[in-house]
Amino acid sequence: PDLLLLDEPPTGQDADALQRLLEILHSLTIPLVLATHDLDFARAAADQVWLLRAGTLIATGPTDLLSDLALLEDVGLQDPDNC
């Protein structure tokens, strides 16, 4: 394929499966679009993120955006490391 789209790939996966999935994703040479609420997985899988609120793009940039607690709250996400 020219592009891989994944919707919530970490859901229901154990730690071993997640590690293998990350290895596979990092080995790909095609673009990947990943939809997830799992911020830890997003940090591990992506180098760029798009944050949406109600279907509207609010922010885009490096995964460092996922450390901006105010921005996460604005888009309805919580960082499990800061709960």
Side-chain angles (χ1 to χ4, degrees):
D2 295 326
L3 174 70
L4 181 60
L5 304 173
L6 297 175
D7 185 16
E8 298 290 351
T11 301
Q13 305 299 319
D14 64 24
D16 291 337
L18 284 177
Q19 184 58 41
R20 181 67 183 128
L21 177 58
L22 286 169
E23 290 169 5
I24 291 168
L25 295 178
H26 288 147
S27 73
L28 296 175
T29 59
I30 59 172
L32 167 68
V33 176
L34 169 71
T36 187
H37 291 87
D38 185 328
L39 300 183
D40 291 331
F41 186 81
R43 284 183 188 101
D47 55 8
Q48 294 286 312
V49 296
W50 292 8
L51 297 176
L52 305 171
R53 181 182 60 230
T56 300
L57 182 64
I58 302 300
T60 184
T63 56
D64 294 349
L65 287 178
L66 300 177
S67 298
D68 183 333
L69 299 180
L71 179 59
L72 292 178
E73 184 177 332
D74 187 42
V75 298
L77 294 171
Q78 283 186 324
D79 187 341
D81 296 333
N82 292 296
C83 289

